[in-house]
Amino acid sequence: MLTATDVTYVYRNAYQTVYAVNGVSCTFDPGQMYAIMGASGSGKTTFLSLLAGLDVPAQGEITFNGEPTRRMDRDKYRMEHVSVIYQNFNLFAHLTVLENGAYPLYMRKMAKKEADATAREKLLSVGLTEDQLRRFPNMLSGGEQQRVAIARALASGSEVILADEPTGNLDQTNGKNIIEILGRLAREENRCVIVVTHDPTVAEAADVVLHMQDGKLAEQS
């Protein structure tokens, strides 16, 4: 579904050139949960942003179903095929939980009633309650807010779910719950789930673990 072929990305300033991603090649399939691990500065978050279509490689290609991201409408790619879950949740404080979950569908001009029904189903499926759907994000715990972010990704219908340190702001119990939900999305809903993480428990739960070091893919397990 998603393939990186000899992907390189470079940051340049007046003093240095940094190869944040340097010749990375790998393939990501539906029905699998992947963990990308590595020290800070290893290039894993930059690589995730390239997979999300936020930028294109300086060299090499990211392809989705055979089409290079550099040749496609990347805004449409992110709206229809890829969802990103962030460590800080990225919820809209002025929208209710239900409205946050339905937001990608509102952006696609889906009728509000239909969008809300779809979002409600996904929000309840990740363990939130009907009462919580009427609340605002700051009325929820960190673990509950991350569930909203995951449900929003589910409501969008995206085949690819990218998560950047999704357990980083959570305690151990909530982090474990989020990992279990992401694993189920991959194996039971046939999504391609790719998680950038420092958390060894994520690696233990993943089907495939990729290790990055100095912008390169050091090993795969």
Side-chain angles (χ1 to χ4, degrees), residues 83 85 97-105 108 110 113-130 132-133 143-159 161 178 181-182 184-185 188-191:
S83 290
I85 300 165
V97 166
L98 179 61
E99 290 166 339
N100 267 282
Y103 187 78
L105 304 178
R108 294 184 199 167
M110 181 182 287
K113 184 176 181 180
E114 183 182 355
D116 288 352
T118 300
R120 175 175 279 102
E121 177 192 348
K122 300 306 181 185
L123 288 159
L124 296 177
S125 78
V126 297
L128 294 166
T129 66
E130 188 70 40
Q132 289 171 322
L133 305 194
E144 289 164 347
Q145 290 185 60
Q146 193 61 288
R147 288 171 186 250
V148 176
I150 291 172
R152 180 172 60 188
L154 279 176
S156 73
S158 300
E159 301 102 310
I161 296 176
I178 294 304
I181 291 170
L182 291 172
R184 288 201 305 271
L185 294 183
E188 296 178 14
E189 297 203 18
N190 205 38
R191 312 292 179 104

Side-chain angles (χ1 to χ4, degrees), residues 1-2 51-53 56 61-78 81-82:
M1 176 179 286
L2 194 60
L51 294 175
V56 296
E61 297 287 4
I62 302 285
T63 59
F64 175 74
N65 289 337
E67 182 180 0
T69 55
R70 71 173 72 250
R71 297 180 192 167
M72 64 175 64
D73 180 338
R74 295 198 307 280
D75 289 336
K76 184 177 180 181
Y77 167 64
R78 288 190 299 275
H81 302 291
V82 177

Side-chain angles (χ1 to χ4, degrees), residues 159-173:
E159 301 102 310
V160 179
I161 296 176
L162 308 176
D164 190 4
E165 298 284 2
T167 62
N169 284 334
L170 305 179
D171 60 40
Q172 185 174 9
T173 299

Side-chain angles (χ1 to χ4, degrees), residues 34-100:
Y34 298 82
I36 302 178
M37 303 195 72
S40 296
S42 63
K44 59 189 187 299
T45 296
T46 299
F47 183 49
L48 195 78
S49 72
L50 294 172
L51 294 175
L54 295 172
D55 207 340
V56 296
Q59 298 175 14
E61 297 287 4
I62 302 285
T63 59
F64 175 74
N65 289 337
E67 182 180 0
T69 55
R70 71 173 72 250
R71 297 180 192 167
M72 64 175 64
D73 180 338
R74 295 198 307 280
D75 289 336
K76 184 177 180 181
Y77 167 64
R78 288 190 299 275
M79 184 175 290
E80 296 184 357
H81 302 291
V82 177
S83 290
V84 184
I85 300 165
Y86 295 95
Q87 179 178 350
N88 61 355
F89 321 131
N90 275 24
L91 302 177
F92 297 104
H94 63 289
L95 298 181
T96 66
V97 166
L98 179 61
E99 290 166 339
N100 267 282

